[in-house]
Amino acid sequence: MNANMLLLPVIIPLLAGILILLVRRLRGIISLLATGSILIIAIALFKQQLTYSLPWLGFGIDFNLRLYPFSAFILLSITALSFLVMLYSCSFMQGKNYLNQFYAYFLITIGLASGAVLADNLVLMLFFWEGLLITLFGFIAIGGKDAFKTATKMFIIVGVSDLCMMIGIGIVWYLTGTMTISTLNVPLNTLGCTAFVLMMIGAIAKGGSMPFHTWIPDAAIDAPLPFMAILPGCLEKLLGIYLLVRITMDMFKLTPGSLLSSLLMIIGAVTIVLAVMMALIQKDYKKLLSYHAISQVGYMILGIGTCLPAGIIGGLFHMINNALYKNCLFLTAGSVEKQTGTTNLNKLGGLWSKMPVTAVCFLITAASISGVPPFNGFFSKEMIYGAALERGTIFYIAALLGSFLTAASFLKLGHAVYFGKRNQENENTRESSLPMLIPMIVIAAVCVFFGLYNRFAVSYFLEPVLAGQEFTEHTSTLLIALTVIVLIVAILHHIIGAIVNGSGVKAADHIHHAPVLSGIYDRAEKRFFDPYEIGLKIVSIASNILFFLDRAVDWIYDGFTVKLAYGLSGAIKRLNTGNYSLYIIWSLLGGLIILILMFKGFGS
Amino acid sequence: MLSLFLLLPFLGIIALNLPVKGRRDAAAFLYTLSLSIGQAIVVLFNPGDFWAKPDFWGGFFNLGLYADNLTFVMLLSIGIVVSTAVCVGWQTISDHRQRLNFYNLVLIALIGMNGTVMLTDIFSLYVFLEVTAISSFILIAFHRDLNALEGAFKYIVLSALATVLMLTSIAALLLFSGGTSFAAVSAAVKSNSGNVIVIIAVSLFICGLFIKGGLVPFHGWLPAAYSAAPAAVSILLAGIVTKVAGIYVLIRLVRDVFGPISEISSVLMLVGTFSIIVGALAALKQDNFKKILAYSSISQVGYIVLGLGCGSPLGIAGAIFHLFNHSIFKSLLFVNSAAVEKQTGSTDITKMGGLGSRMPYSNATNLIAIFSTSGIPPMAGFWSKLVIIMALWQMGHFTYAAIAILVSVITLAYLLAIQRKVFFGILPQELKHIKEAGIWIVIPAVTLAIIIIGTGLCFPLLFKSFLMPVSSFFK
Amino acid sequence: MVNDMSQLFWMCSIAGFLVFIIGIYGLLVTFNLIRAIIGLELLTKSVTLFLILAGYVTGQTGLAQALAITLIVIEVVVIAIAVGIVLCVFRHNRTIDAQLLRNIKG
């Protein structure tokens, strides 16, 4: 295994994507081959440490790729999940528009993501990171006419955060003079803290935490479903949290108890609670799942923000778990959408008997995400609870509240879609086709596996990341008991809510219409709190002012000087009367003036 | 051998006016053309020995001719412009006898100009200046229409004023010097430089030269004469007569005779700047093609004088180069105006439009001339303006440099207005039958355009070898 | 002799100046083209006077005479041309009013 193989996960998908754009046929086969091959390469390269280095642009910007346990692990996840989703989308996307572009964007995104993960040079990583913006834009925009606005929104939000990251990288370079990530060690003075905050903004915006999340629910409706599965579902989290861990652990070496770690924890906690509260009231399958994606990122950020080894491992474990079950959840949503044609919760119901495999996968993954033992979500959340409790009770309570609401909303979702009364139109739905079922089954199985053998998962995949640091379990029976109690309360709450409000869908409506919360919910639905919308309003005011100034400057150039010149020209024309006596007088006057000037000793 | 420049035209005049039958005008045309082209070529390939040889009549006619590098530049310009005017004259003047008269007068002007640039005596300088002026008077009034007569009369009146001023100054200088040759006058001025009468004399002479050269506020005759004269004569006037009469003499005197007196430099810069501004501004609102070009001439001559007044060898080099360039591009502009005037019958640009498609050569060469005038690389005009502005900057005259650059913009404005109104735009109904001007107008235009581009491209080569020796000649 | 010379000198210079001023005034003010030409003539004559004076004062009478004669010759040619132009103007409009020559304005 030589180092040149490191280039392959980056180059193969890129070339395959471009190939698909040029050659219209054999899309599915090419993309499957591409993703399959890089999966094999990622498996083969696992457990090795390789570096690949090529001088690129000057100034210390080199084409450095580095494979070490952490990046190998992420690379493996990316390739495996993308292979599965690609398999899924071969079946799902039949009959939709813009198929060429879809596959091309998919592949190019994977290539760029692999590059970003493997990159060892900050500028190189930035290069791949920014490239993702373009493919994301294209990916969303092919979903339909309205998708363009969402794509623009995504571009601006993620673009601005990427800009912050760029500035952060610039400050890092200024502070340390090098761009190679593995050798960086940035001091934490004021400038370093600013750099950290800026890069953190870039990382968490990519992951989709608040307040950079507003494009994800919109994209959930507008973009094609496999996009939602692979990108906000897993790739973004993987990349965002990967970067967050690297800057917290390697580059800046945060310590527990510092201000920045508290900042991270606060962001994480707020994200958890607010996002899941929004998720609770959604009436659309995909939008609900997307809000949950945002909320789960909060857990990861919280875990990493604790800066304790338990918390970081918890956060990373949660990251991979989330990638798995969020992916599968979106795939089930896609399966339902394909078979029934809708994702509106009011129209769905009782699909248990018609789509059993989908329903079982849904059950497993919903249980994982809610933190039900013995699935994988339970274990990762326990680790995070333990670390969070050690740092502050408020964070633990926030996480627990998030768990409660997550469980409640998934109970609602499951009830609404798979149980309950079946709608008339859905009498004829069948189970999805095999290429769509296989990925779901595989992922659900891995969720179970990671849950039952979580010790193995943690020690094999994750502990090498924290090379050298001590890792002790912080869980105690108290915590486990609390978690189980919360779950039981959630189930009870749901049953009561369903009975009170009528159907499964409306199980959470009493929260929706609670006194203070209903006002907030209404405004949130109208995008009152959306920073993007607020930003747009400010930008339009600013642009009006600048336009006005520009008109003024224009008047000076175009209006004023031209009139001045023409006025002077007219004056000179009028002076010229055609009378030669006047010319003689001019000459004599001129001569007189010259004489006077000569005599005054004019000039030096 | 320098007197050949004077002798050959003179013999030509005699020969052409012998009562011989046949197409004397064709003979005149060929003779004048070959003489002027010969002058240009001979100057370019300059066998130094040849010029230093004494004339074949030994010491009998001691005309005191002397030729240095500045003279060669002027002889080259004279040759090029006279050949152009001769070609255009063949095309625009239709009558045989008129043509013969025209070529005779051109030959007289040629004698006058060659003499002016080669002599080293102030009074003889003045005499040949008058010879040139006389032939110009008649040439302007050639077709005897009222406008031309008006232009000629104004030129006569102001030229007479200039004569008076110059001669008064010579008289005053005679009080101090032992003769009128350059050496004597120079010695007189230098030794008596504080004397009131000498200063008055110097200023009067310079004022006279300003009138001849057409600088503001002594320029009253210039728009009338340039615009009213027939096409070929405008070329001659604008291209060379004003330059030789006014500017060459100014350069020669300021550089060699009067020496670098600082007040003269300041006066030159002031008058130059004033000319640049007034010339450019006045050209903005004109309707007559030739009047715009006339005011443009005033403006460009202002640049030359500005460079001259700068006080450094680089400035003088820039001024001389701009003089040469101005002859070429102004002649080209007037050639194009001649073409347009001949084809459309008027010089009112508001009535024209869209001629570019019918007259491609005129269009292209006009564009080249415009770029050269406004100083756009890589044409020659850019280099000469650059040198002048650099010289100003070096000597610390920042305002003058700024004004020079700003007025370049106005220059571009009015010239592009011409281009747009005449050559671009829509062809009006009555002009649908226009064709390209005759070959004797197109050939000089193309040649001049090639010279502009060639000089512009080869300027970096020319700079060291050509210009610096010309300027650094303080006696 | 010196007294005579200087007296002569001053008288001639004042006379010269007078002629100069009359010439300029005539040229500027008149509406008659012929009178304008006469004004030109007067100007040139005054300058000739100056030349001769200068030669007289410095003792270069020979040079001054040569210059003066050359000047007179040139002057004759110029005046002849000017009169020819005025003649052509007369043939156009049967008048020699200077206001006729104000067409080229602006």
Side-chain angles (χ1 to χ4, degrees), chain B residues 146-401:
Chain B
L146 194 58
N147 277 340
L149 291 173
E150 178 182 342
F153 193 76
K154 285 183 186 163
Y155 191 17
I156 290 180
V157 167
L158 279 164
S159 179
L161 185 62
T163 300
V164 164
L165 291 174
M166 283 197 277
L167 285 172
T168 316
S169 147
I170 293 179
L173 285 173
L174 210 51
L175 284 174
F176 295 97
S177 70
T180 53
S181 64
F182 277 173
V185 173
S186 176
V189 170
K190 288 201 171 81
S191 54
N192 294 319
S193 56
N195 201 329
V196 170
I197 299 186
V198 167
I199 296 181
I200 294 183
V202 166
S203 350
L204 284 181
F205 203 98
I206 293 185
C207 286
L209 289 176
F210 283 162
I211 297 181
K212 284 272 189 195
L215 291 163
V216 172
F218 311 96
H219 69 285
W221 59 274
L222 208 145
Y226 279 30
S227 59
V233 174
S234 287
I235 299 173
L236 202 60
L237 267 186
I240 202 62
V241 168
T242 321
K243 308 299 165 304
V244 167
I247 307 305
Y248 162 78
V249 181
L250 196 59
I251 297 180
R252 181 66 81 184
L253 289 182
V254 166
R255 207 183 66 169
D256 298 338
V257 177
F258 296 146
I261 306 181
S262 70
E263 289 99 354
I264 300 183
S265 305
S266 323
V267 164
L268 283 175
M269 281 201 293
L270 194 66
V271 168
T273 316
F274 204 37
S275 308
I276 296 176
I277 300 175
V278 170
L281 280 178
L284 273 179
K285 272 182 92 163
Q286 301 290 342
D287 280 336
N288 188 334
F289 199 156
K290 287 169 118 174
K291 261 225 187 127
I292 298 183
L293 295 179
Y295 278 112
S296 169
S297 276
I298 297 179
S299 189
Q300 297 303 313
V301 167
Y303 272 103
I304 300 177
V305 168
L306 183 61
L308 189 59
C310 186
S312 68
L314 193 65
I316 300 185
I320 297 174
F321 191 42
H322 200 68
L323 196 159
F324 174 72
N325 282 336
H326 180 70
S327 313
I328 309 285
F329 61 64
K330 194 45 58 118
S331 311
L332 182 52
L333 283 171
F334 270 107
V335 166
N336 284 324
S337 93
V340 166
E341 186 183 354
K342 179 132 174 77
Q343 299 301 106
T344 60
S346 89
T347 52
D348 189 354
I349 61 177
T350 55
K351 297 204 179 67
M352 301 183 208
L355 293 175
S357 50
R358 304 303 178 111
M359 305 172 80
Y361 288 108
S362 302
N363 192 8
T365 49
N366 205 26
L367 212 49
I368 293 176
I370 286 178
F371 286 156
S372 187
T373 315
S374 2
I376 294 181
M379 309 297 173
F382 164 70
W383 294 115
S384 57
K385 274 200 181 161
L386 187 67
V387 169
I388 293 179
I389 293 177
M390 267 167 44
L392 284 173
W393 199 268
Q394 269 178 354
M395 299 298 283
H397 305 295
F398 300 120
T399 8
Y400 291 129

Side-chain angles (χ1 to χ4, degrees), chain A residues 307-569:
Chain A
C307 295
L308 299 169
I312 297 182
I313 294 276
L316 285 175
F317 196 27
H318 198 78
M319 171 185 81
I320 185 64
N321 289 340
N322 178 68
L324 290 170
Y325 51 62
K326 183 55 60 181
N327 212 343
C328 190
L329 281 170
F330 272 112
L331 294 182
T332 60
S335 159
V336 167
E337 182 186 0
K338 181 130 177 122
Q339 296 306 114
T340 62
T342 173
T343 50
N344 191 342
L345 288 181
N346 287 325
K347 297 209 186 102
L348 295 167
L351 292 175
W352 167 259
S353 46
K354 290 287 177 182
M355 303 173 75
V357 180
T358 311
V360 166
C361 292
F362 174 82
L363 269 185
I364 296 177
T365 43
S368 308
I369 198 172
S370 315
V372 173
F375 298 109
N376 50 1
F378 170 70
F379 293 103
S380 61
K381 279 194 181 173
E382 285 304 307
M383 284 191 236
I384 295 180
Y385 291 155
L389 187 58
E390 199 165 304
R391 291 299 310 280
T393 327
I394 183 87
F395 298 114
Y396 175 63
I397 294 186
L400 211 54
L401 184 65
S403 250
F404 167 68
L405 291 172
T406 311
S409 63
F410 271 99
L411 281 169
K412 161 183 158 181
L413 183 64
H415 192 167
V417 176
Y418 295 102
F419 301 108
K421 253 172 46 119
R422 188 177 318 137
N423 221 336
Q424 286 304 105
E425 303 149 2
N426 296 334
E427 286 298 322
N428 293 329
T429 48
R430 299 171 295 122
E431 187 54 81
S432 309
S433 54
L434 201 59
M436 289 171 69
L437 287 180
I438 293 184
M440 288 196 280
I441 298 175
V442 168
I443 296 181
V446 174
C447 280
V448 175
F449 177 73
F450 271 16
L452 294 176
Y453 295 101
N454 61 324
R455 283 260 112 224
F456 162 74
V458 168
S459 59
Y460 190 64
F461 289 116
L462 296 174
E463 269 185 348
V465 176
L466 280 191
Q469 297 198 20
E470 275 299 311
F471 169 58
T472 52
E473 286 267 358
H474 283 254
T475 52
S476 61
T477 23
L478 178 64
L479 291 180
I480 299 180
L482 273 174
T483 313
V484 174
I485 291 174
V486 163
L487 281 175
I488 296 177
V489 168
I491 296 178
L492 281 176
H493 161 265
H494 177 80
I495 295 178
I496 296 175
I499 296 177
V500 166
N501 289 332
S503 73
V505 175
K506 300 205 181 77
D509 276 353
H510 51 275
I511 300 186
H512 191 174
H513 300 297
V516 176
L517 293 177
S518 79
I520 300 180
Y521 272 130
D522 281 337
R523 289 214 188 79
E525 286 293 305
K526 294 203 196 68
R527 302 170 195 228
F528 191 72
F529 299 115
D530 190 351
Y532 176 71
E533 302 282 323
I534 299 176
L536 277 187
K537 286 198 188 64
I538 296 179
V539 165
S540 92
I541 296 177
S543 78
N544 275 334
I545 296 179
L546 286 175
F547 182 68
F548 178 66
L549 282 178
D550 182 67
R551 291 294 107 209
V553 172
D554 237 10
W555 178 78
I556 294 182
Y557 278 137
D558 282 342
F560 180 64
T561 42
V562 170
K563 286 203 181 64
L564 185 66
Y566 273 136
L568 286 175
S569 175

Side-chain angles (χ1 to χ4, degrees), chain B residues 1-5 50-65:
Chain B
M1 282 302 153
L2 281 174
S3 57
L4 276 181
F5 282 131
F50 185 68
W51 300 125
K53 260 199 268 195
D55 296 321
F56 46 76
W57 42 61
F60 186 61
F61 274 146
N62 190 6
L63 296 168
L65 297 175

Side-chain angles (χ1 to χ4, degrees), chain A residues 141-161:
Chain A
I142 62 179
K145 266 211 292 275
D146 298 324
F148 198 71
K149 272 180 66 179
T150 313
T152 316
K153 190 169 174 178
M154 181 279 309
F155 196 82
I156 293 182
I157 294 179
V158 181
V160 167
S161 56

Side-chain angles (χ1 to χ4, degrees), chain A residues 296-316:
Chain A
Q296 295 301 308
V297 159
Y299 276 104
M300 299 177 225
I301 297 179
L302 180 61
I304 295 177
T306 60
C307 295
L308 299 169
I312 297 182
I313 294 276
L316 285 175

Side-chain angles (χ1 to χ4, degrees), chain B residues 123 144 150 167 177 291, chain C residues 60 67 71 92 101 104-105:
Chain B
F123 193 73
R144 298 191 206 119
E150 178 182 342
L167 285 172
S177 70
K291 261 225 187 127
Chain C
Q60 301 167 35
L67 294 183
L71 194 54
H92 266 279
L101 295 184
I104 308 186
K105 300 187 226 234

Side-chain angles (χ1 to χ4, degrees), chain B residues 394-416:
Chain B
Q394 269 178 354
M395 299 298 283
H397 305 295
F398 300 120
T399 8
Y400 291 129
I403 292 178
I405 298 176
L406 279 177
V407 177
S408 274
V409 175
I410 304 185
T411 312
L412 194 58
Y414 63 74
L415 286 174
L416 281 180

